[in-house]
Amino acid sequence: MSDAMFLIVCSIAFFHSVYGGTFSNPTCAPGRYTITHLFEWKWTDIADECEKFLGPYGYCGVQISPPNENRVVTSPNRPWWERYQPVSYKLVTRSGTEAEFRNMVDRCNKVNVRIYADVVINHMTGGGSGSGTGGSRYDGGSLSYPGVPFSSWDFNAGSECHSGDGDIHNYNDPNEVRNCRLVSLRDLKMSKDYVRDKVADYMNNLINIGVAGFRVDAAKHMWPGDLRAVFGKLHNLNTKYFNSGQKPFIFQEVIDMGGEAIKAAEYTPIARVTNFIYGIKIADVFRGNNPAKYLKNWGSAWGMPSPFDVVVFIDNHDNQRGHGGGGGVLTHFEHRAYKMATAFMLAHPYGFTRVMSSYDWPRNIVNGEDKNNWYGPPHNGDMSIKGRSIKADLSCGNGWTCEHRWRQIYNMVAFRNLVFGTTVNNWWDNGNKAIAFSRGNRGFIVINDDTVDVNANLQTGLPQGTYCDVISGNYENGACTGNEVHVGGDGRAHFHISHQSEDPVVAIHIGAKKGSPKKVIL
Ligand code: LAG
Ligand code: CA
């Protein structure tokens, strides 16, 4: 073997050891490392958001709600979950038309913000018949979906599913979980070439329009081999926006909390998986039940998969309202702990990070269950989705929570961009619930989740200078709008963080150092 050949073989081997599956490599524009889930947003709002906010503030991309035609549910009235009942692969939904979808993808890509589509390919609707958001008919009783078309031949039935009533009950039986119906949703027979082709055609249509990858809904309910076969049919990304030969980034929704027969590890050789244990463990820490000092070895040592095999998040659209394995996680409703947890997530190198962006709804918790957890997005009288409004402090109105626009969060997205590639150094803790660490010599964070103040002189690892604390303010026109931190020639700085502060966190980085140009990407 020639030296050059040997080098190529080595770098391919290295690439595979770093990124588990062929589709595990995020397709962000250079310097960007975090996506946000703009749950139930309109395509026109997302296009505007890419240009005005996500591009300039350093986000990599957006996970969008499912873009394909779905069942129209009117009882309850237009719940968010109707979008998880596909009727066809036409691109017409409450979020907008196909033309609006195409316009969004183009405008976002032009400002270096990627679109990741949530694809619902395990199933079609539940029972009942009617019309979808694009006018296509469906009949879940006779298994007729002429908009694709799919007919009864294309669904798993008695020969594949042995649960009796056709629904999934036993999560210890992989066959039942994958071949029976998830909450009565008509289960596609992904072992069939015809079904694989229709699903791949849908995903390829999205790729050709310019999407950068996919969140695969209910991946645990499909056989890894079937997913591999479908993904094997996918085109490379559109060269209008991406380098030639680039594969889509795929993250599979596999809820593996450790107690069931199906393991996330069955899926990581194919593409990434969503790491659900992450948010549970983090909630435990930032509610003070497990002292933050233990985060010192956060990552695979906590029994979680390789950082290169996962997408991580504090909460998602399901578990923030008690769906999808749900409950127990921190959400925007617990804003103080939520901001702390998110700051930790974005400061720490483990995993590819996703920031949830929600809308508000009136919770009505009865016996631990939220009776209003079906509420759809803010809407107008005709049930069309209401646009988000933007306030002077950049936060949202009209019922949209927009966590991705909270200063304590968007500034940590920039922090993550600026420290990428460095390791955790200069770890400090107070022996209990206050911690600090640097990312190489580029960023430093202190988090006080304790019931006493932090009053300490700490080694930041950073070059001498005055830095803006990006939690209490911004670096604007050469000045800090919040607190300043003075790092001495020895790399040390003094931190005082009251345990009663609304934001008991201080974060500094080289992109917000006074006298240097402001940066949100390296
Ligand atoms: C998911 N991941 O695997 C989504 O993240 C989750 O939000 C989806 O369920 C689920 N898979 C199926 O795509 C959501 C709601 C369900 C809802 C379902 C279909 O969490 O509650 O079920 O979407 O709309 C609803 C009713 C059920 C009924 C079913 C069929 O809640 O009672 O059986 O519709 O009619
Ligand atoms: Ca299935």
Side-chain angles (χ1 to χ4, degrees):
M1 197 187 309
S2 73
D3 283 2
M5 191 60 192
F6 178 74
L7 267 177
I8 291 169
V9 171
C10 286
S11 56
I12 291 172
F14 173 74
F15 186 81
H16 280 288
S17 71
V18 169
Y19 291 118
T22 317
F23 303 99
S24 298
N25 189 6
T27 41
C28 303
R32 297 167 185 261
Y33 300 97
T34 299
I35 59 171
T36 181
H37 179 16
L38 298 182
F39 178 50
E40 288 280 20
W41 278 45
K42 301 197 294 186
W43 306 150
T44 51
D45 267 9
I46 295 178
D48 191 57
E49 192 71 358
C50 287
E51 293 169 348
K52 296 214 174 89
F53 193 81
L54 301 173
Y57 284 82
Y59 281 88
C60 154
V62 184
Q63 179 183 320
I64 58 167
S65 282
N68 67 300
E69 177 174 21
N70 62 265
R71 176 183 192 171
V72 176
V73 174
T74 51
S75 176
N77 205 4
R78 310 304 303 267
W80 61 270
W81 47 252
E82 70 169 36
R83 300 189 68 168
Y84 292 91
Q85 300 199 30
V87 163
S88 82
Y89 300 127
K90 292 179 187 141
L91 303 178
V92 189
T93 60
R94 251 181 127 185
S95 284
T97 62
E98 176 171 343
E100 288 166 340
F101 180 82
R102 288 176 179 273
N103 180 264
M104 165 188 74
V105 174
D106 183 59
R107 285 167 59 192
C108 290
N109 273 322
K110 282 185 175 144
V111 293
N112 285 327
V113 179
R114 304 313 191 196
I115 297 295
Y116 298 93
D118 189 352
V119 289
V120 185
I121 57 178
N122 171 63
H123 54 260
M124 301 299 280
T125 66
S129 61
S131 299
T133 47
S136 306
R137 300 293 303 170
Y138 68 88
D139 186 344
S142 62
L143 301 174
S144 164
Y145 298 87
V148 181
F150 283 141
S151 68
S152 59
W153 305 104
D154 303 317
F155 291 85
N156 287 322
S159 45
E160 291 83 24
C161 164
H162 311 290
S163 75
D165 66 357
D167 284 353
I168 301 169
H169 303 285
N170 180 8
Y171 275 83
N172 287 316
D173 177 355
N175 195 76
E176 187 168 320
V177 174
R178 283 152 173 163
N179 290 353
C180 298
R181 293 171 176 173
L182 169 63
V183 293
S184 94
L185 299 161
R186 288 6 189 189
D187 202 60
L188 283 167
K189 195 180 204 164
M190 201 70 91
S191 55
K192 267 188 78 171
D193 276 333
Y194 175 81
V195 175
R196 290 177 179 179
D197 283 339
K198 286 294 168 189
V199 167
D201 286 351
Y202 165 47
M203 293 171 75
N204 278 329
N205 184 34
L206 296 175
I207 287 174
N208 296 346
I209 291 171
V211 310
F214 307 97
R215 177 247 186 203
V216 177
D217 182 72
K220 183 165 83 178
H221 301 279
M222 294 177 275
W223 295 94
D226 289 344
L227 287 175
R228 200 185 276 282
V230 170
F231 300 164
K233 293 174 189 281
L234 297 180
H235 300 165
N236 290 334
L237 298 182
N238 187 333
T239 52
K240 181 172 176 197
Y241 309 111
F242 301 89
N243 295 331
S244 71
Q246 249 192 298
K247 301 274 179 211
F249 175 47
I250 299 181
F251 48 106
Q252 309 160 99
E253 194 226 9
V254 179
I255 305 179
D256 172 9
M257 309 285 207
E260 295 173 12
I262 295 172
K263 304 290 174 211
E266 296 171 54
Y267 295 84
T268 49
I270 308 170
R272 291 203 188 214
V273 295
T274 48
N275 180 357
F276 278 85
I277 307 176
Y278 188 102
I280 303 285
K281 292 184 190 288
I282 281 290
D284 226 31
V285 171
F286 289 100
R287 286 204 183 102
N289 300 328
N290 187 22
K293 66 171 178 180
Y294 293 121
L295 291 171
K296 187 171 185 178
N297 66 352
W298 179 245
S300 304
W302 282 55
M304 301 193 293
S306 151
F308 307 107
D309 283 336
V310 291
V311 168
V312 298
F313 46 94
I314 304 300
D315 62 332
N316 80 348
H317 76 278
D318 277 322
N319 64 17
Q320 71 170 201
R321 45 176 53 71
H323 280 246
V329 294
L330 291 168
T331 71
H332 62 90
F333 290 114
E334 280 170 82
H335 46 90
R336 186 174 183 271
Y338 191 75
K339 285 181 286 181
M340 263 194 269
T342 305
F344 175 78
M345 173 179 85
L346 292 169
H348 195 280
Y350 179 84
F352 183 77
T353 43
R354 177 177 66 189
V355 170
M356 180 65 200
S357 188
S358 317
Y359 53 80
D360 196 15
W361 76 94
R363 287 191 300 177
N364 177 20
I365 298 171
V366 180
N367 296 328
E369 199 199 324
D370 179 1
K371 296 289 176 199
N372 286 346
N373 67 5
W374 59 270
Y375 264 63
H379 53 79
N380 302 304
D382 62 358
M383 295 311 284
S384 61
I385 299 178
K386 213 184 239 183
R388 59 50 174 135
S389 61
I390 305 298
K391 299 178 187 167
D393 67 354
L394 299 183
S395 71
C396 293
N398 276 358
W400 297 94
T401 314
C402 290
E403 296 91 309
H404 73 285
R405 275 178 171 267
W406 295 1
R407 184 189 63 245
Q408 299 86 341
I409 293 178
Y410 70 70
N411 273 342
M412 289 307 296
V413 168
F415 179 109
R416 188 174 195 76
N417 292 343
L418 286 151
V419 304
F420 183 78
T422 64
T423 52
V424 172
N425 299 114
N426 297 300
W427 179 272
W428 170 87
D429 60 63
N430 69 347
N432 199 11
K433 300 176 183 177
I435 60 169
F437 58 94
S438 80
R439 290 292 306 275
N441 58 0
R442 297 197 197 136
F444 187 73
I445 186 167
V446 191
I447 306 179
N448 184 10
D449 190 31
D450 217 318
T451 48
V452 294
D453 291 1
V454 165
N455 209 341
N457 194 269
L458 303 175
Q459 177 54 253
T460 67
L462 265 59
Q464 180 172 18
T466 298
Y467 294 79
C468 299
D469 164 30
V470 297
I471 300 295
S472 59
N474 290 316
Y475 178 38
E476 267 163 28
N477 309 317
C480 303
T481 63
N483 300 326
E484 292 184 351
V485 174
H486 305 281
V487 175
D490 59 356
R492 302 189 79 88
H494 187 262
F495 295 88
H496 180 221
I497 306 179
S498 163
H499 70 283
Q500 289 170 323
S501 166
E502 162 68 18
D503 292 311
V505 180
V506 171
I508 56 178
H509 62 72
I510 52 161
K513 182 175 187 243
K514 278 178 82 175
S516 308
K518 175 178 172 158
K519 284 186 177 173
V520 297
I521 62 176
L522 198 59

